[in-house]
Structures are given as C-alpha cells and as structure tokens.
C-alpha cells in the first residue's frame, strides 16, 4: 500500500511569510508525528497526534508553530511569520498503534525541505 | 536535544567490507531502533531491538544492545554501494512520552564500488 506522503516536497518562503505543510499518513494509522531535522542533525520531535487529538506538543519551538489533524487522518503543520532558523526538513511519521502500546514502528514520509530567505 | 550519539560521524569503506556503527544513549529505554536515510529522502526503518534483547538479525544487518553500557551497534555485512546513506539510532523513553523517538546525529556511510 501507499506510504506516508508529504507536500510540498520543497518550499521556499520569505521571512515573515506563513507556510502550511501537509502530511498524508498511512491509511488506518492511529498515531501521527511531526519531526524537524536541521542540516547535519537527526530529527527532533515536534508533536504527536492520536487520531484527531494532539496529545503532545512539547517539541514545538515557539507559538508560531501550530499543527492540526481535524479528522484523524491528514495533518497540517503551520508555521506563522517564518524566520531563517525555521529552515529545516520537516518529517511526518505515522504508526499503526496508539498511545496505549509500547513503541511501535514509525513510518516516515519523504519530508518537506523548507528554506526561509 | 539529541539523546543518542552515533560513532563514527562518517565512515568510508570498500564494497564487500563490513560496516560497524555505534550508538550511545543517556536514559533508560523500552526499545532502540535503527533507521537509514538516503540523501534528500525520508527515514527508512531497519530494525527494532527491545530492551530485554541483546542481539537481533535481519538479512545483512546485525544489531546488538548493551543496556548496562547504554550502547548499541549496527553491523552491515558484505556492504553494497546501495548501502550508502546516513544511519540513525533512535530511542524511546520509559513511561510517559515513550512514543517520542529521540535520534542521534547519525553516521554517514559511504560504500565505494
């Protein structure tokens, strides 16, 4: 079946612009995660959804970052008033099981590379 | 912040040789996972080893886990040019927030044909 897809694959924004990044998880997956990966670093956790509920947003770096998953499938990560330090690859991952399970394999999308000029 | 740390940061070997990458972490874990990332692509899950396991095999991959030393190693045998990628270990925490994966900075592996 289809894997996790993300769009756009590349986004260039001027500083101060708002951006919206989309994630389509694997169908039927309960959990959805967003990660931020800076150049030369490993991914860092941003936020977690179980179905439509955002259970953890402890990794969001500022209140300019907002994520939603209103119907428990597609998710959008929105960054308002982008800054140069927001430049990174934003990865989405999904897993079949929910919070009650111990760690389940997370399947990652290809990411969106955001460049803020 | 990064929990794990891979070693070496970069590794270059000839095709057919074995590649060994190490990962150290700081806190107690339920599981440790290894992922591969090709340039410009997402992460591909390779193998998961649970905290009560010491060794696990999958094809040409062998993973060991030593919870007393808080370290893991990934061995790729008979490497191929297609194995060229960055390799990351990822750990989860115990208890609340255990679903969060914490990644190291990765080892960049180059396999020369």
């Amino acid at each position: 079946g289809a894997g996790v897809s993300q769009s756009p694959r590349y986004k260039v924004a001027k500083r101060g612009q708002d951006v919206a990044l989309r994630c389509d998880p694997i169908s039927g997956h309960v959990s959805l995660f967003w990660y931020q990966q800076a150049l030369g670093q490993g991914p860092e956790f941003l936020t977690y959804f179980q179905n439509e509920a955002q259970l953890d947003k402890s990794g969001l770096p500022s209140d300019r970052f907002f994520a939603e998953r209103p119907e428990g499938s597609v998710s959008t990560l929105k960054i308002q008033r982008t800054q140069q330090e927001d430049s990174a690859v934003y990865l989405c991952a999904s897993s079949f099981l929910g919070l009650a399970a111990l760690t389940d394999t997370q399947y990652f999308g290809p990411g969106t590379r955001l460049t803020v000029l | 912040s990064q929990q794990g740390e891979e070693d070496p940061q970069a590794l270059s070997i000839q095709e057919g040789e074995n590649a060994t990458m190490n990962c150290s972490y700081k806190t107690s874990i339920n599981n440790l996972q290894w992922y591969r990332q090709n340039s410009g692509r997402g992460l591909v899950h390779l193998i998961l080893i649970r905290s009560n396991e010491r060794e696990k095999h999958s094809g040409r991959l062998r993973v060991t886990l030593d919870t007393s030393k808080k370290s893991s190693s990934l061995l790729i045998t008979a490497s191929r040019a297609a194995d060229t990628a960055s390799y990351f270990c990822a750990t989860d925490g115990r208890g609340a927030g255990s679903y969060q994966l914490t990644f190291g900075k990765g080892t960049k592996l180059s396999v020369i044909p």
Side-chain angles (χ1 to χ4, degrees), chain B residues 3-33:
Chain B
Q3 135 113 299
E5 197 165 308
E6 286 88 347
D7 165 50
Q9 290 186 5
L11 178 62
S12 185
I13 59 173
Q14 294 288 328
E15 201 166 28
E17 292 181 339
N18 295 342
T20 300
M21 289 160 268
N22 303 297
C23 165
S24 59
Y25 56 93
K26 296 173 186 170
T27 62
S28 296
I29 61 171
N30 290 316
N31 308 289
L32 184 143
Q33 304 182 56

Side-chain angles (χ1 to χ4, degrees), chain A residues 9-10 33 35 37 40-45 48 55-56 58 91 99 101-106 108-111 113, chain B residues 1-2 30-31 33 35 37 40-45 48 50 88 92-93 97-106:
Chain A
R9 290 292 314 277
Y10 303 91
F33 308 80
Y35 292 84
Q37 185 176 21
Q41 304 290 316
E44 294 204 3
F45 172 83
Y48 165 68
L55 299 186
D56 187 340
S58 62
L91 294 164
L99 190 60
L102 291 178
T103 304
D104 188 19
T105 299
Q106 294 183 22
F108 282 79
R113 183 178 296 276
Chain B
S1 61
Q2 313 271 197
N30 290 316
N31 308 289
Q33 304 182 56
Y35 284 83
Q37 186 175 39
R41 302 280 187 91
L43 291 146
V44 174
H45 182 261
L48 179 152
R50 302 200 183 280
F88 295 89
D92 61 356
S98 63
Y99 48 81
Q100 283 189 27
L101 291 182
T102 305
F103 288 83
K105 293 184 179 181

